[in-house]
Amino acid sequence: MAAMRLEPSGERPALGVCTRVCALKRDGVDRPHRGRGLGGRPAGLPIRSVIGRCGEHWTISPIEDRININCLLVFGGHATIKEKETTAMFNVVRIICLALALLSTTFAHAEWPEKPIRLIHNGPPGSTADNIARLVADQLSARLGQPMVVDGRPGASGTIAADAVARSAPDGYTLFLGTNSVFAVNPYLYDIRYDPFAFAPISQVVAAQNMLVVRPSLPITNVSELIAYAKANPGKLTYGSSGTGSMMHLSGELFQRATDVSLLHVPYKGGQPARMDMLGDNLDLLFGDLGSIPLVLDGKLRALAVTGPEREEAMPDIPTMQEAGIKDYSVMGFYLLVAPQGTPDTVVTKISNAVAAMLQDPGVRQNIVTMGNQPASDATPAYLAAAIKADHEKWGKVIKEAGISVK
């Protein structure tokens, strides 16, 4: 905001209230005055000296003739000086005022971040969300120069955590690490209080695909055989998920629509209980996370395909669904970083750049792979915004067509 000038009319400035005290000596008499700036007096009065405080004590003495001095401290210390008649001493004072104003502005607009940052996520302690959040917090703390505090808010499929962030100040000190389901699926299943698009996208952090596995006792060794078996036995094959509306569930619904088969959905409270039922031959198949890999390697489950567009590095011999003949089938879950809507672009860019640098670190990448995920290929805000929009449209259509409801 530009600094104001006190015009000869004698009116005082309308903006900014300076609590500093200045003393005017007029005709040899001290006249203390608490005003709206140094020299806050009617214009045009003859003065012989001015003593004021503006960060440092400075004195103008003597001042010749009649001088209008207006050194106004307005919202951040911007100062201007208007003069009718000047002397060399006055020019010195002018430089001092401007220097002090610039110093005040520097302190008023210190570079972000100045204090610890809170990272909210929607998982319980020890969960994948919690582990990824702590990895991100450690890495970004080092790169941004401020501590990052991890704050888990589990429950209601992420809506509690997302709502807390949506209501936070858009100052860059509250961030949300969540899954794409919070923005692409929850709006269609729950009565949420937040707008899924009322956030500032920062970066996709990690991506994860599911793996289609079957119990080994079934006479099925590939996707084509699964489709044929399902068509010959409509509604008899059961598939599990970590819950209604979960990515495991939606993967199965998308598969049914892409292949024109009918499967029976069995929701569980998590993916691990579903896998355990498969080991007991109580469940036929699962579009599960990569936690199934050890069981596949041990021969306890049979992997048919991965759901993403590319093969999984840890299981290079397992084809993608598209390679198995299901055109355009792709399901990827991912963890993403967002801030409240209105967070300054400079802050968003700084965080996004830090995430991109983090994802280039070999140690970080290996840590992410060990968790059963993949480092994001693009950490830009634009890429994340497009991914959220695409998933929101895609899963909204599947949920509506399948008539999925959690009520």
Side-chain angles (χ1 to χ4, degrees):
M1 179 179 293
M4 301 183 61
R5 298 174 183 269
L6 189 65
E7 299 300 332
S9 64
E11 295 180 0
R12 292 178 180 178
L15 295 177
V17 176
C18 178
T19 59
R20 298 173 176 80
V21 176
C22 61
L24 304 184
K25 287 186 178 181
R26 180 160 57 85
D27 299 329
V29 179
D30 288 339
R31 299 179 182 275
H33 173 69
R34 186 180 296 276
R36 295 176 180 257
L38 300 178
R41 62 185 180 82
L45 293 181
I47 61 176
R48 298 304 176 193
S49 65
V50 176
I51 302 175
R53 290 188 180 277
C54 184
E56 296 290 341
H57 182 273
W58 50 271
T59 303
I60 310 170
S61 179
I63 298 178
E64 298 178 359
D65 271 331
R66 298 162 62 88
I67 301 175
N68 287 336
I69 299 179
N70 305 306
C71 181
L72 305 179
L73 299 178
V74 181
F75 293 137
H78 298 285
T80 61
I81 299 176
K82 182 181 179 183
E83 63 181 55
K84 288 183 178 179
E85 300 174 13
T86 187
T87 64
M89 179 61 74
F90 181 76
N91 286 332
V92 172
V93 176
R94 177 188 227 175
I95 293 172
I96 293 173
C97 274
L98 290 174
L100 292 173
L102 289 173
L103 181 62
S104 176
T105 300
T106 300
F107 283 114
H109 302 285
E111 188 176 4
W112 179 94
E114 300 179 279
K115 60 182 182 180
I117 303 163
R118 183 173 53 153
L119 178 61
I120 295 177
H121 69 82
N122 61 309
S127 64
T128 299
D130 187 53
N131 291 335
I132 293 175
R134 294 186 185 282
L135 173 64
V136 169
D138 289 344
Q139 291 295 319
L140 295 194
S141 293
R143 287 173 168 79
L144 297 176
Q146 286 289 345
M148 186 168 281
V149 180
V150 176
D151 182 359
R153 304 281 186 93
S157 298
T159 60
I160 294 174
D163 186 63
V165 175
R167 295 170 180 269
S168 298
D171 54 11
Y173 292 103
T174 302
L175 307 177
F176 177 45
L177 178 79
T179 62
N180 50 329
S181 295
V182 174
F183 303 91
V185 177
N186 287 0
Y188 297 101
L189 297 177
Y190 303 99
D191 294 326
I192 61 175
R193 293 184 292 177
Y194 61 90
D195 180 348
F197 296 105
F199 291 84
I202 298 176
S203 293
Q204 186 180 112
V205 181
V206 301
Q209 58 184 334
N210 287 334
M211 177 181 289
L212 171 57
V213 294
V214 299
R215 56 184 176 89
S217 56
L218 284 174
I220 299 170
T221 60
N222 56 52
V223 174
S224 297
E225 291 177 357
L226 171 62
I227 296 172
Y229 189 95
K231 287 185 176 181
N233 300 275
K236 292 184 179 181
L237 282 177
T238 57
Y239 79 98
S241 77
S242 55
T244 300
S246 66
M247 201 56 65
M248 293 182 186
H249 178 197
L250 296 180
S251 296
E253 290 294 341
L254 186 63
F255 179 82
Q256 292 179 79
R257 272 148 189 75
T259 59
D260 194 27
V261 300
S262 177
L263 305 174
L264 179 61
H265 174 231
V266 182
Y268 290 80
K269 293 183 178 180
Q272 187 62 16
R275 272 191 286 268
M276 291 301 99
D277 256 7
M278 290 189 71
L279 296 179
D281 279 351
N282 297 316
L283 187 69
D284 295 321
L285 58 117
L286 177 71
F287 294 85
D289 57 34
L290 299 184
S292 298
I293 290 179
L295 295 174
V296 172
L297 295 177
D298 287 343
K300 296 179 180 179
L301 294 178
R302 181 179 296 142
L304 303 186
V306 291
T307 63
E310 297 180 0
R311 294 194 179 198
E312 182 61 36
E313 182 177 339
M315 299 288 287
D317 295 333
I318 305 302
T320 67
M321 285 285 197
Q322 294 180 15
E323 290 174 333
I326 306 178
K327 184 180 179 181
D328 299 328
Y329 186 101
S330 179
V331 176
M332 292 291 293
F334 54 86
Y335 282 89
L336 53 90
L337 201 60
V338 298
Q341 188 177 48
T343 299
D345 290 344
T346 53
V347 173
V348 169
T349 299
K350 191 167 186 177
I351 301 172
S352 180
N353 289 342
V355 172
M358 174 191 83
L359 295 177
Q360 294 304 312
D361 184 287
V364 172
R365 295 180 67 86
Q366 182 56 47
N367 202 335
I368 291 174
V369 171
T370 301
M371 292 182 193
N373 300 291
Q374 302 169 3
S377 59
D378 190 325
T380 62
Y383 181 84
L384 175 58
I388 292 175
K389 183 176 183 296
D391 265 17
H392 185 270
E393 295 174 354
K394 174 180 181 176
W395 296 122
K397 182 179 179 181
V398 171
I399 290 170
K400 290 176 181 178
E401 290 180 351
I404 299 173
S405 174
V406 295
K407 298 179 181 179

